[in-house]
């Protein structure tokens, strides 16, 4: 698959079933609703995106605009810990036929273990489970898993250690002393260098956390195209959706920087030589929600609902599609796992969904339903909205 990130490749079909506990139905909605049954084609040809909704992992087929749970057990409801893919962190990693991921335990808001799932055997394995602390920010290479250990102590601020797990030997190694400030995060690993970001600073080290180079910046693969790398920069301006960003390109050969997009309301998608993004347009009214006291509160899509597309240098900037009238609000984040945003001519972007429950005094009364994704054909601008009902 000729896409931005190869780490998300999953082999064609999951052959084994495993024990866990009616598959939720998926209902495509649309600017032009298609009620026909989708014709599934071979995954190796069509491909899919891995998405995360309500703590459950799904395979989203953009061309058909349908989602199916990653868990292949047809009897599983995917909403209890008996399902290997329930309460999984969005930051999953693939190496061959194994998926590595963080899984949440009993503690609210924290991930208590690092797991792997072998799709060939249909088996999950808990690789590392700290007794009292929690894990975060998993990154995988061919031989190692790198992650952050959050040290939790009563009446103290959380501190962090950077850790390494050897996939072959299962050895766990502490790479750093405790961090007192900041939340160090791996941006990328290239060759034998790890590129970190911490408290606004960039640096790199080798795989042993030695030979540190301050100011040595790395770029996540989702923001690299040819010799150009991209940076989201805070503009210092505010729109209805919040702080806005500009997109800057950096030539990794000459070091030349150029402004690509002046102002964005959301994080952009870089896909197949194009940039898909949302401008800070005037907010649009979705409907009304009635408060307990009987007042009607206006509900807006604060970004305005329009997607735009341009070339990788910012040229030929045009409106791609407008979601107004679909009872959705665009999320600030793209929401696709591991930076893989598209398949074929399609990209997907996360949205908050609402449904009309009634009309009252000429007002569209809506309520929130499960999150979903808008799937957009970047050549035609046609789109569909898909979610789990």
């Amino acid at each position: 698959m000729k896409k931005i990130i190869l780490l998300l490749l999953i082999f064609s079909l999951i052959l084994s079933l495993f024990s866990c506990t009616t598959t939720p139905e998926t209902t495509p909605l649309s600017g032009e609703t298609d009620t026909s049954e989708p014709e599934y084609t071979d995954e190796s040809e069509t491909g899919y995106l891995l998405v995360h909704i309500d703590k459950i992992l799904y395979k989203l087929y953009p061309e058909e605009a349908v989602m199916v749970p990653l868990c292949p057990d047809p009897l599983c409801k995917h909403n209890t810990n008996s399902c290997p893919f329930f309460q999984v962190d969005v930051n999953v990693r693939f190496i061959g036929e194994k998926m590595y991921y963080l899984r949440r335990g009993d503690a609210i808001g924290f991930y208590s273990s690092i797991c792997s799932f072998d799709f060939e055997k249909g088996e999950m394995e808990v690789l590392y489970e700290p007794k009292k602390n929690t894990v975060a920010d998993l990154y995988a290479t061919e031989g190692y898993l790198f992650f952050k250990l959050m040290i939790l102590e009563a009446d103290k601020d959380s501190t962090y250690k950077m850790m390494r797990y050897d996939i072959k030997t299962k050895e766990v190694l502490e790479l750093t002393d405790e961090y007192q400030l900041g939340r160090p995060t791996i941006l990328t690993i290239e060759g034998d260098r790890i590129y970190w970001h911490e408290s606004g600073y960039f640096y790199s080290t080798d795989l042993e956390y030695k030979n540190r180079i301050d100011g040595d910046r790395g770029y996540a693969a989702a923001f690299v195209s040819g010799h150009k790398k991209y940076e989201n920069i805070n503009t210092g301006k505010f729109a209805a959706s919040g702080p806005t960003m500009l997109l800057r390109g950096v030539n990794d050969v000459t070091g030349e920087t150029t402004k690509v997009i002046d102002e964005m309301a959301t994080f952009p998608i870089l896909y197949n030589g194009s940039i898909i993004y949302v401008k800070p347009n005037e907010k649009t009214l979705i409907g009304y929600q009635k408060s307990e006291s009987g007042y009607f509160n206006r509900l807006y899509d604060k970004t305005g609902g329009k997607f735009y597309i341009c070339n990788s240098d910012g040229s030929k900037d045009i409106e791609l599609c407008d979601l107004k009238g679909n009872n959705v609000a665009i999320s600030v984040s793209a929401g696709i796992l591991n930076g893989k945003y598209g398949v074929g001519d399609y990209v997907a972007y996360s949205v908050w969904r609402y449904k009309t429950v009634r009309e009252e005094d000429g007002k569209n009364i809506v309520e929130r339903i499960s999150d979903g994704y808008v799937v957009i054909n970047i050549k035609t601008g046609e789109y569909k909205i898909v979610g789990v009902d």
Side-chain angles (χ1 to χ4, degrees), residues 33-85:
T33 303
D34 181 6
T35 58
S36 62
E37 289 296 323
E39 294 182 4
Y40 288 95
T41 54
D42 182 70
E43 287 182 15
S44 62
E45 295 179 4
T46 305
Y48 59 84
L49 298 170
L50 195 61
V51 299
H52 190 269
I53 294 179
D54 297 336
K55 305 175 184 178
I56 300 172
L57 295 177
Y58 293 88
K59 293 187 291 184
L60 168 59
Y61 294 84
E63 188 169 358
E64 296 89 350
V66 294
M67 293 189 300
V68 294
L70 181 62
C71 170
D73 187 343
L75 300 179
C76 183
K77 293 183 179 179
H78 320 294
N79 59 1
T80 68
N81 284 329
S82 62
C83 177
F85 300 117

Side-chain angles (χ1 to χ4, degrees), residues 103-167:
R103 199 158 183 253
R104 184 169 293 157
D106 296 330
I108 297 177
F110 300 115
Y111 294 96
S112 59
S113 59
I114 299 176
C115 303
S116 69
F117 190 87
D118 190 318
F119 286 97
E120 186 176 39
K121 298 178 180 178
E123 296 176 353
M124 185 189 79
E125 180 182 1
V126 177
L127 304 178
Y128 177 72
E129 192 169 28
K131 293 181 179 179
K132 65 175 183 177
N133 299 311
T134 187
V135 289
D137 297 341
L138 184 68
Y139 201 101
T141 65
E142 193 66 36
Y144 299 108
L145 303 178
F146 294 87
F147 61 96
K148 183 166 56 188
L149 183 68
M150 183 187 297
I151 313 299
L152 304 173
E153 296 185 62
D155 301 322
K156 291 185 179 181
D157 292 335
S158 298
T159 55
Y160 307 89
K161 287 184 179 181
M162 301 310 302
M163 311 286 287
R164 190 185 76 187
Y165 176 90
D166 190 308
I167 294 175

Side-chain angles (χ1 to χ4, degrees), residues 161-315:
K161 287 184 179 181
M162 301 310 302
M163 311 286 287
R164 190 185 76 187
Y165 176 90
D166 190 308
I167 294 175
K168 185 177 181 179
T169 67
K170 300 186 177 183
E171 177 188 14
V172 179
L173 181 66
E174 295 182 3
L175 295 180
T176 66
D177 295 330
E178 290 183 14
Y179 285 89
Q180 300 301 320
L181 298 173
R183 293 191 59 166
T185 302
I186 295 177
L187 292 174
T188 188
I189 298 178
E190 297 179 8
D192 61 352
R193 303 293 296 176
I194 311 171
Y195 294 86
W196 304 93
H197 175 263
E198 180 189 349
S199 300
Y201 296 96
F202 298 93
Y203 58 95
S204 69
T205 73
D206 60 22
L207 301 184
E208 305 290 334
Y209 198 82
K210 299 175 182 177
N211 186 26
R212 172 171 164 164
I213 303 175
D214 292 343
D216 191 14
R217 172 160 188 173
Y219 293 81
F223 279 86
V224 177
S225 177
H227 288 296
K228 184 172 285 188
K229 302 174 180 180
Y230 295 86
E231 301 173 351
N232 290 314
I233 309 295
N234 194 321
T235 64
K237 302 177 182 179
F238 288 84
S241 56
T244 64
M245 300 167 288
L246 65 84
L247 190 66
R248 183 170 68 185
V250 182
N251 188 302
D252 66 357
V253 176
T254 65
E256 179 186 7
T257 62
T258 55
K259 187 187 295 184
V260 180
I261 298 174
D262 288 331
E263 202 169 14
M264 305 176 297
T266 66
F267 288 95
I269 290 176
L270 177 64
Y271 181 69
N272 279 4
S274 296
I275 301 170
I276 299 92
Y277 71 104
V278 177
K279 293 181 180 180
N281 291 304
E282 184 177 349
K283 62 186 180 181
T284 58
L285 181 66
I286 296 174
Y288 295 81
Q289 291 180 309
K290 199 169 186 178
S291 66
E292 293 181 359
S293 57
Y295 289 99
F296 288 108
N297 298 317
R298 290 180 175 88
L299 178 69
Y300 292 98
D301 179 350
K302 294 182 179 180
T303 68
K306 294 181 180 180
F307 282 93
Y308 294 80
I309 187 170
C310 63
N311 291 337
S312 59
D313 61 357
S315 64

Side-chain angles (χ1 to χ4, degrees), residues 14-26:
I14 299 174
L15 300 179
S16 302
L17 298 180
F18 52 92
S19 162
C20 74
T21 56
T22 9
T23 303
E25 296 178 357
T26 58

